[in-house]
Amino acid sequence: MAPVSPKKPKGKKPAVPKQVRGWRRLLGGGGPSFFGNLITTVLIFLLLMSVYSLAASFMQPANDVPLSVVAADVAAGKIETITVNGDSLDLTYADKSVKTSRKDPSAGLPETLATYGVTPAELAKVSITIQGQSGFQFWFLTLAPIIIPILFFVFLFWFLSRQVKGAGMQAFTFGQSKARVIDPADISQRVTFKDVAGAREAKEELLEIVDFLKSPKKFLDIGARIPKGIILMGAPGTGKTLLARAVAGEASVPFFSISGSEFVEMFVGVGASRVRDLFQLAKKAAPAIIFVDEIDAVGRVRGTGVGGGNDEREQTLNQILVEMDGFEPTEKVVVMAATNRPDVLDPALLRPGRFDRRVTIDLPDRRDREEILKVHAVKKPLGPDVNLAVVAERTPGFSGAELNSLMNEGAILAARESRKEVTQYDLIRSIEKVMLGPERKSHLLSKKEKEVTSYHEAGHALVSSVLPNADPVHKISIISRGRAAGYTLKLPFEDRKMQSKKQFLDDIAATLGGYVAEEMLFDDVTTGPSNDLAVITAIAREMVTRYGMSEKLGPIAFGDRQLGNEPYSEEVASHIDAEVSRIIDEAKARAEKVIGEHRGALDAIAKELIEKETIERTEFEKILIANGITPKKRDEEGIDIIPSTPGGVA
Ligand code: ADP
Ligand code: ZN
Ligand code: MG
């Protein structure tokens, strides 16, 4: 039930370091544990035993007759033939029925029958065939009870010793770098700047690095010092990893990559030795690139106790710094790193001589989005009606990764309907799927829920349309998607690189519109707006603590208390809380005023929603006009849509 502008949260990863997980890891080196294997082995053994005994019971002939009966039947002349096989007897009766029996293995058949009182004359009437037990059968049956347990124990010992050896081997290789290497000769894996659409500034900056890696001599001869460390900063999915690979691809040098999060789950000391090995490998392969992805996982501000004061993390970070400091000026290795949390990085990482070059990758603007869509449209046959410019216009705030999955979803839709081409409609439908998750048609609302949801969304849409600085509404729906029960899609005015205080305030009021509508109409509030409330609280707090938008506290940026930078007093903290509440209270009053003054419009929108479930922009604007509200004009051509809220709020 959130008003959704196509903008994303700035990907604040919790990045809580995973601790080494107890003794299992110690014994098994991450694999299944020793005891686990022992139990498995014993279970397998028991299973084999029961299968064997079951099979043996099946082999027991079903119509076994006692020897005394056999003797009586022979005497009575009922039996025609007896086939002796070891100590088992197959009997064929005169009436052609077949039965089996067993005799004492130590005595022959005639003797046995004689003891039961069969006379030789009676026995002569029966044809007796002795079928010798085959040598194999004999030996198998005699030796199996001895050999099988021996084999079992041999197997058990082999199995366990292999495990122990495996663990030992693993401990041995622990220190060695587990970096993935992309060989420049491997054309199939090669990525170049052509594969990275948009990001012009970033590519330009990195071109210098490519030049250096291609012909380091030129730079070194003239005494130029090339940056050792480049840090790529940008929201998740903006193509940081892709860009780093493209640098290696352009320069045709090996690309060693490792992720910061991998270091965190290791033994103490392992991370540091891995870093050492990685740098050694790269120096041997120089010119080369070392890429540390998600460096914030190891490079957080040290000594604050955030993330459990993980020693391993600090040692790994220290080792990275030591290695970078130890580079000779002639070293032809460039270290690249990526993060989406530059704000939490340890300042030591950013000092000159370390990651002193910073390249920021922004979310793509409209033109870049179109370029990215084109890159991912390669190999996807597009229908004649496809207009990627329109798709780009409708996807403000989408990252490269999201545009990639949008194209892919479109192709999936076409394939599912057995079409050979992707149409514009496929792509448009995919936008919302990528943004909000798949439609949940099965999520049926009761009549009451439908009414509440409709009024809630109508509240967002109405307040958004009336307040001058809120974004115009693009679509309203009460069809559940992902976690949202309904949604109001707002497309921000484009060309907006900054957000003003007035825009923030109207945004908060529009986001409260759902809550206010529910409260005014039903005199009750549901759990629906909980996300809305979390969002506005975050915006209001940022306004006060980051953007200096509170008159009371003035133009001061307060640090993040949890990170321990620039802490402030309890008194200031309570002022901040008071300001946040005031901003929200005032926004709520404005939302109430709008809804109070335009009850007719609210009812009309809600009624239409209950009936049609989804209202597109043109229909929506008709309702507004009918109720005396002038829809906001927006220029369709030549404008960039960008996420309207720094910090990103949905
Ligand atoms: P990040 O490392 O910033 O989280 P990635 O580099 O892993 O993002 O990007 C994920 C995917 O998104 C890429 O593999 C690529 O398919 C797509 N992508 C992202 N940015 C771009 C771009 N500028 N041009 C083309 N594709 C992109
Ligand atoms: Zn809502
Ligand atoms: Mg990445």
Side-chain angles (χ1 to χ4, degrees):
M1 293 211 189
V4 181
S5 289
K7 31 191 169 169
K8 299 283 151 178
K10 211 169 35 186
K12 298 199 173 160
K13 287 184 57 188
V16 178
K18 286 179 221 145
Q19 310 286 347
V20 174
R21 281 186 212 90
W23 56 271
R24 285 188 135 253
R25 197 167 277 274
L26 291 175
L27 276 164
S33 75
F34 179 88
F35 292 104
N37 284 323
L38 189 66
I39 290 167
T40 319
T41 316
V42 170
L43 282 179
I44 290 176
F45 180 64
L46 288 178
L47 189 78
L48 284 178
M49 299 261 287
S50 55
V51 166
Y52 178 80
S53 61
L54 200 69
S57 78
F58 267 115
M59 289 188 314
Q60 281 296 323
N63 44 358
D64 225 6
V65 286
L67 263 181
S68 54
V69 176
V70 177
D73 288 348
V74 169
K78 284 193 208 158
I79 293 182
E80 266 183 3
T81 61
I82 299 179
T83 311
V84 184
N85 190 342
D87 39 328
S88 78
L89 311 174
D90 291 335
L91 318 165
T92 311
Y93 279 73
D95 60 1
K96 297 294 171 228
S97 66
V98 179
K99 287 183 181 162
T100 52
S101 183
R102 263 169 200 287
K103 70 172 177 63
D104 181 351
S106 59
L109 180 65
E111 292 90 332
T112 309
L113 291 179
T115 53
Y116 279 101
V118 178
T119 62
E122 282 161 349
L123 194 60
K125 280 187 257 165
V126 184
S127 98
I128 296 177
T129 329
I130 311 280
Q131 231 175 41
Q133 210 172 36
S134 77
F136 171 76
Q137 248 176 344
F138 173 76
W139 285 109
F140 181 79
L141 288 176
T142 341
L143 294 182
I146 309 162
I147 285 182
I148 287 182
I150 291 179
L151 278 179
F152 170 73
F153 279 108
V154 168
F155 172 77
L156 185 73
F157 277 115
W158 169 77
F159 193 68
L160 293 180
S161 73
R162 206 183 58 133
Q163 288 300 312
V164 172
K165 210 161 89 188
M169 292 288 284
Q170 209 138 12
F172 181 68
T173 54
F174 255 156
Q176 272 159 38
S177 156
K178 282 260 178 70
R180 287 168 294 277
V181 189
I182 298 178
D183 184 348
D186 186 352
I187 301 296
S188 67
Q189 291 226 51
R190 185 171 164 154
V191 174
T192 64
F193 279 165
K194 260 204 278 152
D195 301 301
V196 189
R200 273 174 300 274
E201 291 92 351
K203 280 198 261 183
E204 238 157 66
E205 285 230 28
L206 293 172
L207 212 54
E208 188 184 301
I209 308 298
V210 173
D211 275 348
F212 168 73
L213 289 169
K214 260 187 186 159
S215 40
K217 195 167 176 310
K218 190 171 76 186
F219 289 81
L220 296 174
D221 282 354
I222 205 165
R225 205 174 54 85
I226 283 296
K228 293 177 199 170
I230 298 128
I231 192 154
L232 303 172
M233 303 175 173
T238 43
K240 299 180 293 295
T241 309
L242 189 72
L243 205 53
R245 283 184 60 181
V247 171
E250 286 285 329
S252 292
V253 299
F255 180 75
F256 294 83
S257 76
I258 191 150
S259 174
S261 53
E262 289 165 31
F263 286 124
V264 179
E265 45 186 276
M266 296 178 199
F267 283 148
V268 173
V270 172
S273 78
R274 256 194 206 180
V275 169
R276 214 164 24 237
D277 292 336
L278 176 63
F279 275 75
Q280 221 146 48
L281 272 177
K283 280 184 200 168
K284 260 186 228 152
I289 289 182
I290 296 176
F291 179 60
V292 187
D293 211 348
E294 301 175 46
I295 196 169
D296 47 289
V298 288
R300 281 174 169 249
V301 182
R302 285 171 292 185
T304 59
V306 177
N310 188 320
D311 271 352
E312 178 55 14
R313 210 171 51 79
E314 294 201 358
Q315 287 189 18
T316 307
L317 175 59
N318 285 339
Q319 191 62 37
I320 292 177
L321 298 180
V322 165
E323 292 289 342
M324 289 183 77
D325 289 344
F327 269 2
E328 301 293 322
T330 51
E331 216 85 67
K332 295 162 204 137
V333 176
V334 172
V335 187
M336 296 182 81
T339 179
N340 48 36
R341 293 296 313 272
D343 52 321
V344 301
L345 285 186
D346 193 313
L349 268 173
L350 306 175
R351 233 175 267 150
R354 292 167 180 171
F355 291 101
D356 48 1
R357 250 336 143 84
R358 276 161 247 180
V359 176
T360 310
I361 309 178
D362 291 319
L363 284 170
D365 61 15
R366 204 203 55 193
R367 214 161 23 134
D368 288 348
R369 287 198 299 274
E370 192 178 337
E371 295 299 315
I372 296 173
L373 286 169
K374 275 186 197 151
V375 166
H376 294 290
V378 173
K379 288 191 201 154
K380 295 187 182 72
L382 300 182
D385 67 329
V386 168
N387 185 342
L388 294 180
V390 170
V391 179
E393 194 196 316
R394 289 228 194 160
T395 45
F398 270 44
S399 67
E402 284 165 322
L403 292 167
N404 182 2
S405 65
L406 185 158
M407 281 311 283
N408 190 46
E409 290 293 341
I412 288 173
L413 279 175
R416 272 173 57 183
E417 291 166 18
S418 309
R419 278 180 280 112
K420 292 265 177 286
E421 284 179 337
V422 181
T423 65
Q424 182 77 352
Y425 183 50
D426 293 330
L427 296 179
I428 297 292
R429 277 187 289 171
S430 305
I431 295 177
E432 276 155 54
K433 182 158 181 200
V434 171
M435 200 153 60
L436 299 161
E439 278 188 3
R440 289 190 299 152
K441 293 226 171 85
S442 62
H443 183 88
L444 289 183
L445 298 176
S446 70
K447 190 160 170 292
K448 175 80 177 170
E449 281 171 334
K450 202 168 170 180
E451 206 177 311
V452 173
T453 308
S454 296
Y455 271 98
H456 177 101
E457 298 305 328
H460 286 313
L462 179 65
V463 177
S464 218
S465 307
V466 171
L467 292 182
N469 299 300
D471 298 320
V473 171
H474 200 86
K475 177 175 179 173
I476 321 171
S477 175
I478 55 165
I479 294 175
S480 319
R481 260 183 191 283
R483 282 168 44 232
Y487 56 96
T488 299
L489 212 62
K490 301 184 294 174
L491 273 203
F493 280 113
E494 320 190 23
D495 257 347
R496 202 194 266 168
K497 290 271 175 203
M498 284 183 288
Q499 172 112 344
S500 74
K501 181 173 168 184
K502 285 181 180 164
Q503 286 164 347
F504 274 135
L505 292 176
D506 285 4
D507 237 25
I508 296 178
T511 308
L512 270 173
Y515 177 94
V516 169
E518 283 189 39
E519 196 183 49
M520 284 173 80
L521 261 114
F522 304 100
D523 199 22
D524 193 8
V525 174
T526 63
T527 53
S530 68
N531 186 51
D532 293 352
L533 303 185
V535 166
I536 58 160
T537 311
I539 305 180
R541 185 163 288 277
E542 294 223 310
M543 286 176 69
V544 176
T545 59
R546 282 183 67 185
Y547 307 125
M549 288 177 179
S550 137
E551 282 119 42
K552 201 154 187 186
L553 292 160
I556 302 177
F558 297 95
D560 192 330
R561 261 196 145 184
Q562 284 190 333
L563 287 174
N565 42 2
E566 301 161 63
Y568 41 81
S569 65
E570 286 302 328
E571 197 193 339
V572 171
S574 70
H575 279 310
I576 291 175
D577 291 341
E579 277 296 276
V580 170
S581 307
R582 190 187 55 81
I583 289 175
I584 291 173
D585 286 345
E586 285 179 14
K588 184 172 174 234
R590 288 197 307 137
E592 280 166 354
K593 185 161 171 281
V594 170
I595 292 178
E597 284 171 4
H598 299 277
R599 251 313 283 278
L602 184 79
D603 289 333
I605 301 166
K607 200 168 143 262
E608 184 86 358
L609 268 179
I610 292 171
E611 199 174 306
K612 301 229 176 97
E613 301 197 342
T614 298
I615 312 180
E616 295 285 347
R617 194 173 113 225
T618 39
E619 292 167 73
F620 177 67
E621 292 184 347
K622 273 185 208 149
I623 303 176
L624 289 182
I625 292 167
N627 286 277
I629 301 168
T630 321
K632 292 178 181 175
K633 280 276 157 289
R634 32 179 286 137
D635 196 1
E636 291 289 346
E637 232 61 61
I639 28 184
D640 276 343
I641 311 175
I642 71 119
S644 60
T645 316
V649 216

